[in-house]
Amino acid sequence: MEKNKLLELVSEMTLEEKAMQMTQLVPDMLYHLAPANLTGPTRQWHFTDRQLQCAGSVLGKSGAAYLKKLQADYLKDARLPIPLLFMADVIHGYETILPIPLAQGCSFDPELVEENAAAVAREAAAAGLHVTFSPMADLVRDPRWGRVMESCGEDPYLNGQMAAATVRGYQGKDPGEKGKIAACVKHFAAYGQPEGGRDYNTVDMSRGMLRDFYLPAYREAVQAGAAMVMTSFNTVERVPSTCSRLLLDRILRREWDFQGVVISDYSAVEELMNHSVAADALEAGEKSLHAGMDIEMMSGVYAASLQNLLEQGRITQEEIDTCVIRILELKNRLGLFENPCKDADEEQEQRLCGCKEHLELARKLALESMVLLKNEDVLPVSAHAPLGLAGPFADTGGLFGEWSYMGNREKTRTLREALEAVYGTQLVTAMTEPFRQSPDVPDSVEEALERFRPCELCIVAAGEPEWQTGEATSKTNLRLSPNQEKLIHALRNAGKKVVLLLFSGRPLDIAPILDAADAVLQVWFPGSAGAYAVTDILTGKYNPSGRLSMSFPRNVGQIPVYYDCYNTGRPSLDPENRFCSRYLDCPNSPLFPFGYGLSYTTFSCRGLKISEDNTTASVLVKNTGSRRGETVVQLYVRDVSASVVRPLKELKGFRRIALDAGEETEVTFRITADMLSFYNEDEQWGWEPGEFDIMVGLDSEQIEGQRVYLSPADLP
Ligand code: BGC
């Protein structure tokens, strides 16, 4: 539709119609059904039939047949020909479930993430969806927060690369194209840093911290073209994001030139009253509108208050129209005026959802995202001797983690099935009961030991229940359940070799069982192809190559522990010195650092060379072991002295490379001004000439650095 036609349409709309374009509900409400599974302070709904008839968008339902009918029913009664927008949480896969985003971060492979996101878009588009509430670009440093699973981890650069790749995968060149959907980056901003790791809790940090660490990944997603942005539940600088003019107007719209649609999180406009920044619905609506919040998700504040606010002169018609135009422009961009159901097609849906090609892509991503944390000569398992398999993830299709509504657990191959296909009757199982209500396996350790008597090696598929990951799943205890720990110790005490597979949505507290395991493979929630991927790694068909996207703490008291911290005035360099920044009972370093991961081969990375003109850094990377493998070469920088404190190191580049046994290659990174830049005290972005450490290595601790003096002449 031509822009002037669109504007004409807006001029024909009543205020009520405009307010309802700015309101998102669940489809059940349009059918006058009682909505199920409501969260947040959703109280009495006061939508009239006429209002429901002109709702602008709905969330949470998919399926070509259902959405086609919904659109047809809606348009049949609509006064104006404005189709509904269909949105849903397709977070890590539609029917083909991918590894959780935290695991995807461990792949350090944005191209593969993009390819997978494109496959997700094909499935979701065929199932009738127009927008997904993904990617989540929230930076995370606190594994007590259950939503770390939805993020690509603790590093701004990695997070940004992954968020941008995901947006490109979903949207392609244009979300209106066939098989594409629009991306909604969330939760703007800083939702990943709630105090104490408690979901929905207060977020408070300096402007510099916000700008340097927390905002960059959203910006990357916006610059990659994300059509929508979702606000977060939390406050930033004492103002809830949903009505923050700093975030929505100054930063998002003006600095980043975001032209798309902003949506609130679930009932977040109404929650402004709980936050105590709005005395009533009128004030909540007024503040959100002034900030430029276009669509209110699942509360009725706009619907109830815009008329009044306008009459009282507290808002203008222009402010409302600006939001409505943005919303209609999105519908137009998706081609909905011409084709209200876009790609919804039962046949395509049937053909694409869960197809072999998508499962294969998901398997590749699962393989690259698993991280080998420890291996004392037990993996890969090649022996043809009896092999034990136990644990709550040993025989379940529940390998998805949260936010995987359309994934089919019944159809998903279990680890037992996948291993049996390789080891046949050599596989002995015990204690494979999946988690039910209680997060524990039944107390039958003695019986398991008896069954495992002939096995020299036992695989324990342990972890946290799927339902303890995602929204509203904060925890203060990150250890495995007592029975799982008991089983691992019992196997060890019985002289077995123990291979621990860790299924989790967050770094768990594994220090108490680390010594009892000979090998530990962090598999996260690996998705639909998870069992195949684990089997490929256990058997050695695939050589593990994932690198941690988030540090593992030594214990919960050490949280937050992350690699890109500041030095402090009293760094802990001398173990004898008490008066420095340290704990009495625990080192400062993590159990496993960001960027860490083992392989079945070994690599060296040496000979760092900075070019004479200071524009490149090169290293020689060699496969020093006896089999082919992949590693991730990582570039870090440190500004040695600046006008504000700068982190000890910050990831600024990475390269995933494959090398044959004995093969050596040179890896070169360009040094750019962008890599050295930060926000100074006046909130100006730029870099300050002086000394910098340029460091390259194979994880955030194993790095070799060189100090260079960089002047504007080096990096114009
Ligand atoms: C979550 C969002 C999600 C929305 C819609 C909220 O509770 O915070 O991430 O997109 O619900 O389901």
Side-chain angles (χ1 to χ4, degrees):
M1 181 189 287
E2 308 267 312
K3 174 95 182 198
N4 55 349
K5 278 257 167 75
L6 193 142
L7 296 179
E8 243 171 62
L9 192 56
V10 175
S11 68
E12 283 174 43
M13 292 171 77
T14 62
L15 183 60
E16 185 173 59
E17 284 166 343
K18 290 177 183 172
M20 289 312 289
Q21 281 300 316
M22 297 166 65
T23 304
Q24 177 163 84
L25 302 172
V26 286
D28 280 355
M29 295 169 77
L30 309 197
Y31 282 129
H32 301 283
L33 301 169
N37 304 326
L38 296 183
T39 65
T42 41
R43 303 197 194 115
Q44 208 54 49
W45 295 94
H46 294 298
F47 294 105
T48 63
D49 283 359
R50 218 179 54 200
Q51 280 176 321
L52 291 175
Q53 239 163 49
C54 53
S57 60
V58 291
L59 83 155
K61 278 263 166 79
S62 61
Y66 178 85
L67 292 181
K68 273 160 81 172
K69 178 171 181 325
L70 181 65
Q71 190 74 288
D73 290 347
Y74 173 84
L75 285 174
K76 180 163 56 69
D77 297 328
R79 193 182 74 86
L80 294 171
I82 307 175
L84 278 168
L85 255 179
F86 299 138
M87 311 194 191
D89 290 286
V90 181
I91 306 296
H92 54 114
Y94 181 72
E95 189 175 318
T96 307
I97 302 299
L98 311 181
I100 56 171
L102 192 63
Q104 295 183 32
C106 298
S107 74
F108 281 73
D109 192 346
E111 283 89 34
L112 185 58
V113 165
E114 183 176 335
E115 265 186 88
N116 269 281
V120 172
R122 284 194 288 276
E123 293 191 4
L129 289 173
H130 305 145
V131 180
T132 174
F133 296 131
S134 164
M136 180 177 114
D138 304 333
L139 189 86
V140 292
R141 291 172 169 176
D142 190 335
R144 290 172 298 182
W145 192 50
R147 302 197 79 168
V148 302
M149 67 157 288
E150 298 166 58
S151 158
C152 285
E154 76 186 38
D155 179 67
Y157 178 75
L158 178 64
N159 231 321
Q161 294 288 305
M162 292 306 187
T166 306
V167 170
R168 288 194 301 269
Y170 290 148
Q171 297 195 167
K173 283 195 201 69
D174 190 322
E177 282 177 5
K178 191 165 169 54
K180 295 295 173 193
I181 52 176
C184 175
V185 57
K186 67 189 187 186
H187 305 84
F188 191 66
Y191 182 37
Q193 184 64 348
E195 278 180 11
R198 203 180 74 211
D199 206 1
Y200 316 124
N201 201 6
T202 304
V203 173
D204 204 359
M205 62 177 70
S206 72
R207 183 78 58 97
M209 177 67 79
L210 179 73
R211 284 207 180 262
D212 281 347
F213 293 93
Y214 285 83
L215 294 186
Y218 309 108
R219 188 185 57 216
E220 290 297 322
V222 164
Q223 284 172 353
M228 289 187 65
V229 169
M230 185 189 293
T231 66
S232 54
F233 287 123
N234 55 278
T235 52
V236 167
E237 297 191 14
R238 300 171 297 155
V239 178
S241 309
T242 301
C243 65
S244 163
R245 298 174 77 160
L246 166 73
L247 289 176
L248 302 186
D249 185 46
R250 177 172 156 194
I251 295 179
L252 182 65
R253 297 279 183 207
R254 285 191 274 139
E255 287 182 24
W256 299 354
D257 194 27
F258 177 66
Q259 309 276 339
V261 173
V262 174
I263 188 168
S264 77
D265 203 347
Y266 203 106
S267 72
V269 176
E270 188 172 334
E271 286 169 29
L272 296 183
M273 292 185 269
N274 288 347
H275 276 294
S276 308
V277 296
D280 51 25
L282 278 188
E283 201 178 355
E286 179 184 17
K287 287 193 159 172
S288 304
L289 189 71
H290 283 332
M293 227 280 308
D294 302 311
I295 302 182
E296 171 187 4
M297 183 196 293
M298 289 304 282
S299 51
V301 171
Y302 278 168
S305 65
L306 292 191
Q307 172 92 41
N308 252 330
L309 288 169
L310 204 55
E311 282 165 9
Q312 292 177 25
R314 288 161 65 176
I315 59 170
T316 64
Q317 185 66 54
E318 197 191 337
E319 280 176 298
I320 298 175
D321 285 356
T322 305
C323 298
V324 175
I325 291 168
R326 282 198 285 251
I327 297 164
L328 297 198
E329 273 178 342
L330 175 59
K331 294 185 177 188
N332 198 25
R333 203 174 155 203
L334 289 163
L336 300 185
F337 288 105
E338 292 76 26
N339 186 6
C341 294
K342 197 168 180 290
D343 305 324
D345 180 329
E346 292 89 325
E347 232 177 77
Q348 289 293 323
E349 181 183 24
Q350 181 77 19
R351 192 176 70 75
L352 289 168
C353 290
C355 70
K356 237 174 118 191
E357 185 201 332
H358 293 176
L359 194 67
E360 207 33 59
L361 274 173
R363 177 179 185 158
K364 238 178 132 196
L365 189 52
L367 283 168
E368 289 193 4
S369 63
M370 293 180 183
V371 186
L372 185 62
L373 297 176
K374 176 177 178 183
N375 186 17
E376 289 182 346
D377 284 337
V378 277
L379 291 179
V381 183
S382 51
H384 287 285
L387 179 69
L389 173 67
F393 291 98
D395 199 13
T396 171
L399 307 176
F400 300 166
E402 263 307 307
W403 298 111
S404 47
Y405 302 119
M406 296 309 295
N408 188 334
R409 290 169 175 76
E410 303 300 309
K411 252 174 57 183
T412 299
R413 177 167 262 214
T414 76
L415 193 55
R416 177 189 59 75
E417 290 163 348
L419 285 172
E420 246 167 27
V422 179
Y423 295 101
T425 52
Q426 298 282 27
L427 191 74
V428 181
T429 58
M431 283 179 77
T432 56
E433 175 81 352
F435 290 123
R436 297 227 185 274
Q437 284 313 313
S438 105
D440 217 340
V441 280
D443 194 5
S444 46
V445 172
E446 284 70 30
E447 200 185 307
L449 286 182
E450 189 49 40
R451 282 185 61 79
F452 291 147
R453 196 185 280 273
C455 309
E456 218 177 279
L457 190 147
C458 291
I459 297 165
V460 183
E464 60 177 347
E466 285 186 276
W467 51 265
Q468 287 189 2
T469 66
E471 189 175 346
T473 58
S474 297
K475 300 202 283 196
T476 59
N477 177 356
L478 302 184
R479 285 175 63 166
L480 293 175
S481 62
N483 256 352
Q484 294 186 83
E485 289 196 356
K486 184 170 156 194
L487 171 66
I488 293 161
H489 286 299
L491 289 170
R492 176 60 161 211
N493 293 339
K496 309 286 175 199
K497 299 253 183 228
V498 178
V499 172
L500 181 60
L501 304 175
L502 273 175
F503 291 79
S504 70
R506 45 159 72 82
L508 292 174
D509 175 1
I510 56 169
I513 37 96
L514 191 57
D515 285 345
D518 296 275
V520 181
L521 181 67
Q522 175 67 39
V523 303
W524 307 107
F525 282 106
S528 302
Y532 297 102
V534 172
T535 305
D536 288 349
I537 290 182
L538 290 179
T539 57
K541 189 168 160 200
Y542 182 82
N543 187 354
S545 62
R547 301 292 182 261
L548 289 181
S549 56
M550 201 175 173
S551 308
F552 269 55
R554 291 178 188 272
N555 55 45
V556 169
Q558 205 196 19
I559 293 171
V561 57
Y562 53 94
Y563 86 94
D564 47 357
C565 50
Y566 301 135
N567 200 29
T568 79
R570 292 190 175 190
S572 174
L573 302 174
D574 172 8
E576 301 301 312
N577 181 4
R578 180 171 150 199
F579 294 96
C580 55
S581 180
R582 54 176 290 201
Y583 299 104
L584 289 179
D585 56 356
C586 177
N588 286 359
S589 63
L591 188 63
F592 295 110
F594 174 81
Y596 171 86
L598 300 172
S599 158
Y600 294 155
T601 185
T602 47
F603 296 93
S604 69
C605 174
R606 57 187 181 84
L608 173 65
K609 261 194 334 229
I610 310 288
S611 61
E612 257 171 45
D613 62 358
N614 284 338
T615 57
T616 63
S618 329
V619 278
L620 290 171
V621 185
K622 185 171 183 181
N623 181 340
T624 50
S626 55
R627 54 180 293 168
R628 185 178 167 80
E630 290 186 27
T631 189
V632 178
V633 190
Q634 302 162 33
L635 169 80
Y636 295 88
V637 302
R638 177 187 178 192
D639 191 338
V640 178
S641 169
S643 57
V644 293
V645 292
R646 306 291 301 126
L648 284 169
K649 52 199 145 186
E650 289 180 283
L651 184 76
K652 291 296 172 183
F654 55 82
R655 201 78 48 73
R656 174 180 261 277
I657 56 167
L659 292 175
D660 284 326
E663 189 183 347
E664 183 170 53
T665 190
E666 188 176 50
V667 176
T668 302
F669 294 96
R670 261 171 51 76
I671 303 169
T672 65
D674 233 31
M675 290 176 176
L676 314 175
S677 299
F678 59 92
Y679 283 90
N680 68 13
E681 269 190 299
D682 301 322
E683 286 185 74
Q684 296 304 312
W685 168 255
W687 69 286
E688 297 170 359
E691 283 189 319
F692 293 86
D693 287 335
I694 307 292
M695 300 164 273
V696 183
L698 300 179
D699 68 45
S700 60
E701 284 182 358
Q702 262 190 80
I703 41 182
E704 186 188 345
Q706 212 167 294
R707 188 157 290 186
V708 287
Y709 186 91
L710 294 173
S711 72
D714 296 313
L715 304 172

